[in-house]
mmCIF file of all heavy atoms in Angstrom:
data_model
loop_
_atom_site.group_PDB
_atom_site.id
_atom_site.type_symbol
_atom_site.label_atom_id
_atom_site.label_comp_id
_atom_site.label_asym_id
_atom_site.label_seq_id
_atom_site.Cartn_x
_atom_site.Cartn_y
_atom_site.Cartn_z
ATOM 1 N N VAL Z 1 -77.996 -97.579 183.190
ATOM 2 C CA VAL Z 1 -79.319 -97.128 183.625
ATOM 3 C C VAL Z 1 -80.132 -96.706 182.402
ATOM 4 O O VAL Z 1 -79.818 -95.702 181.767
ATOM 5 C CB VAL Z 1 -79.192 -95.926 184.593
ATOM 6 C CG1 VAL Z 1 -80.577 -95.491 185.076
ATOM 7 C CG2 VAL Z 1 -78.283 -96.265 185.773
ATOM 8 N N PRO Z 2 -81.169 -97.474 182.053
ATOM 9 C CA PRO Z 2 -82.045 -97.036 180.959
ATOM 10 C C PRO Z 2 -83.010 -95.967 181.484
ATOM 11 O O PRO Z 2 -83.566 -96.103 182.575
ATOM 12 C CB PRO Z 2 -82.825 -98.294 180.566
ATOM 13 C CG PRO Z 2 -82.372 -99.381 181.482
ATOM 14 C CD PRO Z 2 -81.596 -98.775 182.600
ATOM 15 N N ILE Z 3 -83.179 -94.913 180.724
ATOM 16 C CA ILE Z 3 -84.105 -93.849 181.099
ATOM 17 C C ILE Z 3 -85.084 -93.631 179.961
ATOM 18 O O ILE Z 3 -84.682 -93.429 178.816
ATOM 19 C CB ILE Z 3 -83.355 -92.525 181.353
ATOM 20 C CG1 ILE Z 3 -82.450 -92.662 182.573
ATOM 21 C CG2 ILE Z 3 -84.345 -91.388 181.564
ATOM 22 C CD1 ILE Z 3 -81.795 -91.349 182.952
ATOM 23 N N GLN Z 4 -86.365 -93.676 180.306
ATOM 24 C CA GLN Z 4 -87.376 -93.438 179.291
ATOM 25 C C GLN Z 4 -87.473 -91.939 179.012
ATOM 26 O O GLN Z 4 -87.388 -91.128 179.931
ATOM 27 C CB GLN Z 4 -88.725 -93.951 179.794
ATOM 28 C CG GLN Z 4 -89.817 -93.890 178.757
ATOM 29 C CD GLN Z 4 -91.142 -94.370 179.315
ATOM 30 O OE1 GLN Z 4 -91.203 -94.888 180.412
ATOM 31 N NE2 GLN Z 4 -92.197 -94.172 178.550
ATOM 32 N N CYS Z 5 -87.619 -91.610 177.748
ATOM 33 C CA CYS Z 5 -87.740 -90.200 177.382
ATOM 34 C C CYS Z 5 -89.137 -89.694 177.713
ATOM 35 O O CYS Z 5 -90.011 -89.605 176.850
ATOM 36 C CB CYS Z 5 -87.467 -90.020 175.887
ATOM 37 S SG CYS Z 5 -85.750 -90.300 175.481
ATOM 38 N N GLU Z 6 -89.361 -89.397 178.992
ATOM 39 C CA GLU Z 6 -90.669 -88.893 179.406
ATOM 40 C C GLU Z 6 -90.464 -87.854 180.491
ATOM 41 O O GLU Z 6 -89.384 -87.716 181.049
ATOM 42 C CB GLU Z 6 -91.558 -90.026 179.911
ATOM 43 C CG GLU Z 6 -90.889 -90.863 180.977
ATOM 44 C CD GLU Z 6 -91.820 -91.290 182.090
ATOM 45 O OE1 GLU Z 6 -92.975 -91.571 181.805
ATOM 46 O OE2 GLU Z 6 -91.372 -91.317 183.241
ATOM 47 N N TYR Z 7 -91.537 -87.161 180.816
ATOM 48 C CA TYR Z 7 -91.458 -85.996 181.692
ATOM 49 C C TYR Z 7 -90.842 -86.330 183.053
ATOM 50 O O TYR Z 7 -90.083 -85.542 183.605
ATOM 51 C CB TYR Z 7 -92.858 -85.408 181.861
ATOM 52 C CG TYR Z 7 -92.864 -84.135 182.659
ATOM 53 C CD1 TYR Z 7 -92.240 -82.985 182.165
ATOM 54 C CD2 TYR Z 7 -93.479 -84.080 183.903
ATOM 55 C CE1 TYR Z 7 -92.230 -81.812 182.896
ATOM 56 C CE2 TYR Z 7 -93.478 -82.902 184.639
ATOM 57 C CZ TYR Z 7 -92.850 -81.775 184.132
ATOM 58 O OH TYR Z 7 -92.842 -80.611 184.861
ATOM 59 N N TYR Z 8 -91.174 -87.486 183.603
ATOM 60 C CA TYR Z 8 -90.694 -87.823 184.949
ATOM 61 C C TYR Z 8 -89.400 -88.621 184.929
ATOM 62 O O TYR Z 8 -89.083 -89.322 185.876
ATOM 63 C CB TYR Z 8 -91.762 -88.611 185.711
ATOM 64 C CG TYR Z 8 -92.995 -87.791 186.006
ATOM 65 C CD1 TYR Z 8 -94.208 -88.074 185.392
ATOM 66 C CD2 TYR Z 8 -92.935 -86.715 186.894
ATOM 67 C CE1 TYR Z 8 -95.336 -87.315 185.655
ATOM 68 C CE2 TYR Z 8 -94.058 -85.940 187.156
ATOM 69 C CZ TYR Z 8 -95.253 -86.249 186.541
ATOM 70 O OH TYR Z 8 -96.365 -85.489 186.796
ATOM 71 N N ALA Z 9 -88.655 -88.507 183.864
ATOM 72 C CA ALA Z 9 -87.461 -89.342 183.703
ATOM 73 C C ALA Z 9 -86.483 -89.211 184.873
ATOM 74 O O ALA Z 9 -85.908 -90.193 185.333
ATOM 75 C CB ALA Z 9 -86.748 -88.994 182.399
ATOM 76 N N LEU Z 10 -86.292 -87.985 185.341
ATOM 77 C CA LEU Z 10 -85.288 -87.773 186.386
ATOM 78 C C LEU Z 10 -85.784 -88.170 187.772
ATOM 79 O O LEU Z 10 -85.003 -88.359 188.690
ATOM 80 C CB LEU Z 10 -84.859 -86.294 186.415
ATOM 81 C CG LEU Z 10 -83.867 -85.900 185.318
ATOM 82 C CD1 LEU Z 10 -83.712 -84.395 185.263
ATOM 83 C CD2 LEU Z 10 -82.520 -86.549 185.540
ATOM 84 N N GLU Z 11 -87.105 -88.304 187.876
ATOM 85 C CA GLU Z 11 -87.670 -88.667 189.180
ATOM 86 C C GLU Z 11 -87.260 -90.101 189.522
ATOM 87 O O GLU Z 11 -87.402 -91.011 188.706
ATOM 88 C CB GLU Z 11 -89.193 -88.573 189.110
ATOM 89 C CG GLU Z 11 -89.867 -88.436 190.440
ATOM 90 C CD GLU Z 11 -91.353 -88.157 190.268
ATOM 91 O OE1 GLU Z 11 -91.727 -86.986 190.094
ATOM 92 O OE2 GLU Z 11 -92.114 -89.124 190.268
ATOM 93 N N GLY Z 12 -86.759 -90.300 190.706
ATOM 94 C CA GLY Z 12 -86.346 -91.648 191.083
ATOM 95 C C GLY Z 12 -84.911 -91.935 190.694
ATOM 96 O O GLY Z 12 -84.292 -92.863 191.213
ATOM 97 N N LEU Z 13 -84.377 -91.136 189.771
ATOM 98 C CA LEU Z 13 -83.003 -91.397 189.332
ATOM 99 C C LEU Z 13 -82.003 -91.057 190.428
ATOM 100 O O LEU Z 13 -81.032 -91.776 190.650
ATOM 101 C CB LEU Z 13 -82.707 -90.582 188.070
ATOM 102 C CG LEU Z 13 -81.487 -91.045 187.299
ATOM 103 C CD1 LEU Z 13 -81.665 -92.477 186.830
ATOM 104 C CD2 LEU Z 13 -81.222 -90.151 186.110
ATOM 105 N N SER Z 14 -82.298 -89.964 191.159
ATOM 106 C CA SER Z 14 -81.372 -89.591 192.239
ATOM 107 C C SER Z 14 -81.379 -90.662 193.332
ATOM 108 O O SER Z 14 -80.354 -90.955 193.938
ATOM 109 C CB SER Z 14 -81.756 -88.226 192.818
ATOM 110 O OG SER Z 14 -83.111 -88.247 193.227
ATOM 111 N N GLN Z 15 -82.558 -91.269 193.543
ATOM 112 C CA GLN Z 15 -82.659 -92.363 194.523
ATOM 113 C C GLN Z 15 -81.800 -93.550 194.085
ATOM 114 O O GLN Z 15 -81.071 -94.152 194.878
ATOM 115 C CB GLN Z 15 -84.133 -92.788 194.644
ATOM 116 C CG GLN Z 15 -84.381 -93.937 195.610
ATOM 117 C CD GLN Z 15 -84.025 -93.590 197.048
ATOM 118 O OE1 GLN Z 15 -84.385 -92.531 197.534
ATOM 119 N NE2 GLN Z 15 -83.300 -94.456 197.725
ATOM 120 N N LEU Z 16 -81.878 -93.868 192.799
ATOM 121 C CA LEU Z 16 -81.089 -94.983 192.271
ATOM 122 C C LEU Z 16 -79.589 -94.694 192.410
ATOM 123 O O LEU Z 16 -78.811 -95.539 192.840
ATOM 124 C CB LEU Z 16 -81.440 -95.224 190.793
ATOM 125 C CG LEU Z 16 -80.656 -96.331 190.095
ATOM 126 C CD1 LEU Z 16 -81.019 -97.699 190.654
ATOM 127 C CD2 LEU Z 16 -80.902 -96.312 188.594
ATOM 128 N N ILE Z 17 -79.204 -93.471 192.062
ATOM 129 C CA ILE Z 17 -77.782 -93.116 192.148
ATOM 130 C C ILE Z 17 -77.313 -93.142 193.604
ATOM 131 O O ILE Z 17 -76.206 -93.595 193.907
ATOM 132 C CB ILE Z 17 -77.535 -91.741 191.475
ATOM 133 C CG1 ILE Z 17 -77.692 -91.910 189.957
ATOM 134 C CG2 ILE Z 17 -76.141 -91.198 191.802
ATOM 135 C CD1 ILE Z 17 -77.696 -90.636 189.160
ATOM 136 N N HIS Z 18 -78.190 -92.715 194.515
ATOM 137 C CA HIS Z 18 -77.873 -92.771 195.945
ATOM 138 C C HIS Z 18 -77.640 -94.224 196.379
ATOM 139 O O HIS Z 18 -76.682 -94.535 197.100
ATOM 140 C CB HIS Z 18 -79.015 -92.145 196.751
ATOM 141 C CG HIS Z 18 -78.807 -92.208 198.227
ATOM 142 N ND1 HIS Z 18 -77.748 -91.577 198.864
ATOM 143 C CD2 HIS Z 18 -79.508 -92.846 199.203
ATOM 144 C CE1 HIS Z 18 -77.827 -91.825 200.168
ATOM 145 N NE2 HIS Z 18 -78.873 -92.590 200.397
ATOM 146 N N THR Z 19 -78.508 -95.122 195.926
ATOM 147 C CA THR Z 19 -78.356 -96.545 196.268
ATOM 148 C C THR Z 19 -77.042 -97.092 195.718
ATOM 149 O O THR Z 19 -76.313 -97.806 196.415
ATOM 150 C CB THR Z 19 -79.532 -97.361 195.682
ATOM 151 O OG1 THR Z 19 -80.745 -96.828 196.185
ATOM 152 C CG2 THR Z 19 -79.434 -98.828 196.055
ATOM 153 N N ILE Z 20 -76.742 -96.728 194.477
ATOM 154 C CA ILE Z 20 -75.490 -97.195 193.868
ATOM 155 C C ILE Z 20 -74.296 -96.690 194.678
ATOM 156 O O ILE Z 20 -73.345 -97.432 194.947
ATOM 157 C CB ILE Z 20 -75.400 -96.735 192.393
ATOM 158 C CG1 ILE Z 20 -76.488 -97.435 191.561
ATOM 159 C CG2 ILE Z 20 -74.016 -97.032 191.814
ATOM 160 C CD1 ILE Z 20 -76.687 -96.871 190.163
ATOM 161 N N GLU Z 21 -74.376 -95.430 195.111
ATOM 162 C CA GLU Z 21 -73.269 -94.866 195.903
ATOM 163 C C GLU Z 21 -73.120 -95.575 197.249
ATOM 164 O O GLU Z 21 -72.011 -95.818 197.720
ATOM 165 C CB GLU Z 21 -73.482 -93.353 196.104
ATOM 166 C CG GLU Z 21 -73.173 -92.563 194.830
ATOM 167 C CD GLU Z 21 -73.643 -91.112 194.885
ATOM 168 O OE1 GLU Z 21 -74.354 -90.744 195.852
ATOM 169 O OE2 GLU Z 21 -73.307 -90.360 193.951
ATOM 170 N N LEU Z 22 -74.245 -95.938 197.866
ATOM 171 C CA LEU Z 22 -74.187 -96.692 199.127
ATOM 172 C C LEU Z 22 -73.533 -98.052 198.919
ATOM 173 O O LEU Z 22 -72.720 -98.501 199.734
ATOM 174 C CB LEU Z 22 -75.598 -96.897 199.696
ATOM 175 C CG LEU Z 22 -76.225 -95.724 200.439
ATOM 176 C CD1 LEU Z 22 -77.634 -96.081 200.881
ATOM 177 C CD2 LEU Z 22 -75.386 -95.336 201.654
ATOM 178 N N VAL Z 23 -73.917 -98.719 197.810
ATOM 179 C CA VAL Z 23 -73.311 -100.022 197.504
ATOM 180 C C VAL Z 23 -71.807 -99.854 197.272
ATOM 181 O O VAL Z 23 -70.996 -100.652 197.757
ATOM 182 C CB VAL Z 23 -73.998 -100.671 196.277
ATOM 183 C CG1 VAL Z 23 -73.254 -101.920 195.835
ATOM 184 C CG2 VAL Z 23 -75.445 -101.029 196.607
ATOM 185 N N GLN Z 24 -71.425 -98.795 196.557
ATOM 186 C CA GLN Z 24 -69.995 -98.524 196.321
ATOM 187 C C GLN Z 24 -69.259 -98.344 197.655
ATOM 188 O O GLN Z 24 -68.184 -98.901 197.872
ATOM 189 C CB GLN Z 24 -69.831 -97.231 195.502
ATOM 190 C CG GLN Z 24 -70.156 -97.400 194.027
ATOM 191 C CD GLN Z 24 -70.292 -96.058 193.316
ATOM 192 O OE1 GLN Z 24 -70.730 -95.071 193.899
ATOM 193 N NE2 GLN Z 24 -69.927 -96.019 192.034
ATOM 194 N N GLU Z 25 -69.872 -97.566 198.537
ATOM 195 C CA GLU Z 25 -69.249 -97.245 199.819
ATOM 196 C C GLU Z 25 -69.073 -98.472 200.700
ATOM 197 O O GLU Z 25 -68.035 -98.673 201.318
ATOM 198 C CB GLU Z 25 -70.182 -96.273 200.558
ATOM 199 C CG GLU Z 25 -69.556 -94.978 201.008
ATOM 200 C CD GLU Z 25 -70.661 -94.062 201.523
ATOM 201 O OE1 GLU Z 25 -71.058 -94.249 202.689
ATOM 202 O OE2 GLU Z 25 -71.156 -93.216 200.745
ATOM 203 N N ARG Z 26 -70.133 -99.289 200.771
ATOM 204 C CA ARG Z 26 -70.177 -100.312 201.816
ATOM 205 C C ARG Z 26 -69.940 -101.734 201.326
ATOM 206 O O ARG Z 26 -69.538 -102.599 202.100
ATOM 207 C CB ARG Z 26 -71.539 -100.265 202.516
ATOM 208 C CG ARG Z 26 -71.758 -98.918 203.177
ATOM 209 C CD ARG Z 26 -73.092 -98.825 203.859
ATOM 210 N NE ARG Z 26 -73.313 -97.444 204.324
ATOM 211 C CZ ARG Z 26 -74.413 -97.041 204.923
ATOM 212 N NH1 ARG Z 26 -75.397 -97.893 205.132
ATOM 213 N NH2 ARG Z 26 -74.539 -95.782 205.314
ATOM 214 N N LEU Z 27 -70.241 -101.994 200.070
ATOM 215 C CA LEU Z 27 -70.270 -103.385 199.628
ATOM 216 C C LEU Z 27 -69.381 -103.684 198.422
ATOM 217 O O LEU Z 27 -68.837 -104.768 198.301
ATOM 218 C CB LEU Z 27 -71.719 -103.795 199.284
ATOM 219 C CG LEU Z 27 -72.739 -103.680 200.420
ATOM 220 C CD1 LEU Z 27 -74.145 -103.823 199.869
ATOM 221 C CD2 LEU Z 27 -72.485 -104.726 201.494
ATOM 222 N N ASN Z 28 -69.309 -102.741 197.484
ATOM 223 C CA ASN Z 28 -68.585 -103.021 196.240
ATOM 224 C C ASN Z 28 -67.904 -101.747 195.727
ATOM 225 O O ASN Z 28 -68.417 -101.057 194.847
ATOM 226 C CB ASN Z 28 -69.554 -103.573 195.179
ATOM 227 C CG ASN Z 28 -68.865 -103.915 193.865
ATOM 228 O OD1 ASN Z 28 -67.645 -103.797 193.742
ATOM 229 N ND2 ASN Z 28 -69.644 -104.320 192.874
ATOM 230 N N PRO Z 29 -66.720 -101.432 196.292
ATOM 231 C CA PRO Z 29 -66.044 -100.187 195.915
ATOM 232 C C PRO Z 29 -65.660 -100.116 194.440
ATOM 233 O O PRO Z 29 -65.414 -99.042 193.907
ATOM 234 C CB PRO Z 29 -64.793 -100.181 196.807
ATOM 235 C CG PRO Z 29 -64.665 -101.552 197.369
ATOM 236 C CD PRO Z 29 -66.004 -102.187 197.326
ATOM 237 N N GLU Z 30 -65.645 -101.272 193.760
ATOM 238 C CA GLU Z 30 -65.264 -101.302 192.338
ATOM 239 C C GLU Z 30 -66.409 -100.892 191.410
ATOM 240 O O GLU Z 30 -66.209 -100.647 190.228
ATOM 241 C CB GLU Z 30 -64.817 -102.721 191.927
ATOM 242 C CG GLU Z 30 -63.743 -103.351 192.820
ATOM 243 C CD GLU Z 30 -62.437 -102.587 192.718
ATOM 244 O OE1 GLU Z 30 -61.917 -102.475 191.601
ATOM 245 O OE2 GLU Z 30 -61.957 -102.099 193.768
#
């Protein structure tokens, strides 16, 4: 995950991590 060094860097990151966790759970446990 590339993150730009800017004020809103963390915004949206939790959403991305949530999506990754859903994919891990349901589609690709590896």
Side-chain angles (χ1 to χ4, degrees):
V1 182
I3 294 186
Q4 186 182 351
C5 290
E6 52 141 37
Y7 185 66
Y8 294 112
L10 282 169
E11 201 172 275
L13 196 61
S14 55
Q15 179 63 46
L16 178 68
I17 289 171
H18 178 62
T19 303
I20 294 168
E21 285 168 352
L22 281 178
V23 172
Q24 284 167 327
E25 235 171 81
R26 299 179 187 178
L27 301 168
N28 181 3
E30 308 294 302

